[in-house]
Amino acid sequence: MKVELNHAASPADLNAADAAIVAVGAHDVVIPVPGADSDKVVSSWDVLAGKVELTGRVAVIGGGLVGTETAEYLLQHGCEVAIVEMLDKIAAGESETILPLIMSDFAEHNVEQHVKTRLTAITDEGVEAIHTTEDGTEEPVRIACDYVVMAVGSKANAFDLDGVTVPVTCVGDCSGERTADIASAIRTAYHAANEL
Ligand SMILES: Cc1cc2nc3c(=O)[nH]c(=O)nc-3n(C[C@H](O)[C@H](O)[C@H](O)COP(=O)(O)OP(=O)(O)OC[C@H]3O[C@@H](n4cnc5c(N)ncnc54)[C@H](O)[C@@H]3O)c2cc1C
């Protein structure tokens, strides 16, 4: 098997084969609110990959699995953390075995958990959001912070198939409406390979 690294695949590369399987993954998304292009906004993927080092107060936008994991990472690196989540629960989908450990860690480190809270803007001082109370009333929330970490999901990477003449199957995170997980990437790749 030939492996070529440091090479972005082109239509010509694909056409040189009898068939192609495209597995170009996904990218993380940013909520397009005012201030989203500020220097204080960073990606959770970059934080977890150690590409950026944060200090001080950090607001993590998105309390799903990636946001929760990022919050734990930031706590271990001495940051003060607040999480802003639109749904009524942080870490929805986390295993019932692990969740209590995460919550006790968050309690010990005074992590602010703003649930039912939707980000509306990023300012020099921090973030602005709207919290929806039990009776449906909307109230403004302001969280002062030095950095804002986006952990609001991912979107499939597009691969330009213009000029590609061989049969192509997309697998993994680039293949569907929603990005998924490693098991799904392996499963879709296995089926695609079996179809050849
Ligand atoms: C922070 C985070 C934590 C996660 N934790 C888990 C977890 O605990 N368990 C789990 O199951 N899943 C987890 N996932 C999801 C999992 O990482 C993905 O679902 C999985 O990696 C998808 O595999 P893939 O092969 O489709 O894409 P990727 O693993 O993203 O691989 C795509 C590859 O394609 C390369 N590429 C892109 N464009 C081109 C091009 N034009 N030419 C050549 N190469 C190209 C990229 O450089 C990349 O190496 C996590 C995701 C994130 C972001």
Side-chain angles (χ1 to χ4, degrees):
M1 185 173 69
K2 188 173 157 207
V3 177
E4 267 193 62
L5 299 176
N6 299 311
H7 179 95
S10 66
D13 294 321
L14 272 62
N15 288 336
D18 296 321
I21 295 177
V22 171
V24 292
H27 58 276
D28 52 340
V29 298
V30 172
I31 304 177
V33 292
D37 57 352
S38 148
D39 287 345
K40 74 199 294 177
V41 178
V42 298
S43 141
S44 54
W45 293 20
D46 286 348
V47 172
L48 291 171
K51 289 183 185 167
V52 287
E53 272 183 39
L54 307 185
T55 52
R57 275 188 62 89
V58 182
V60 176
I61 312 302
L65 298 184
V66 171
T68 304
E69 201 171 305
T70 309
E72 290 217 286
Y73 177 95
L74 291 167
L75 292 180
Q76 283 161 14
H77 286 75
C79 297
E80 275 179 65
V81 178
I83 303 176
V84 178
E85 167 57 54
M86 219 165 66
L87 302 178
D88 60 0
K89 193 173 179 220
I90 302 282
E94 183 55 88
S95 110
E96 292 301 321
T97 320
I98 309 248
L99 192 57
L101 300 175
I102 294 173
M103 288 306 152
S104 111
D105 202 26
F106 283 0
E108 190 185 326
H109 290 92
N110 300 314
V111 172
E112 287 176 29
Q113 298 181 41
H114 299 270
V115 294
K116 296 179 85 174
T117 305
R118 184 169 41 86
L119 176 75
T120 52
I122 294 159
T123 64
D124 288 345
E125 291 73 35
V127 301
E128 294 180 359
I130 301 281
H131 172 240
T132 307
T133 63
E134 288 304 319
D135 66 6
T137 310
E138 294 195 332
E139 51 189 30
V141 176
R142 283 199 169 83
I143 304 164
C145 62
D146 304 301
Y147 293 99
V148 178
V149 175
M150 285 284 174
V152 290
S154 56
K155 198 161 181 259
N157 282 334
F159 186 88
D160 186 3
L161 291 173
D162 217 21
V164 175
T165 50
V166 295
V168 175
T169 312
C170 292
V171 301
D173 275 359
C174 74
S175 64
E177 287 285 304
R178 286 177 64 91
T179 56
D181 53 19
I182 294 166
S184 162
I186 293 171
R187 193 174 50 251
T188 52
Y190 177 80
H191 287 313
N194 276 329
E195 290 297 318
L196 295 177

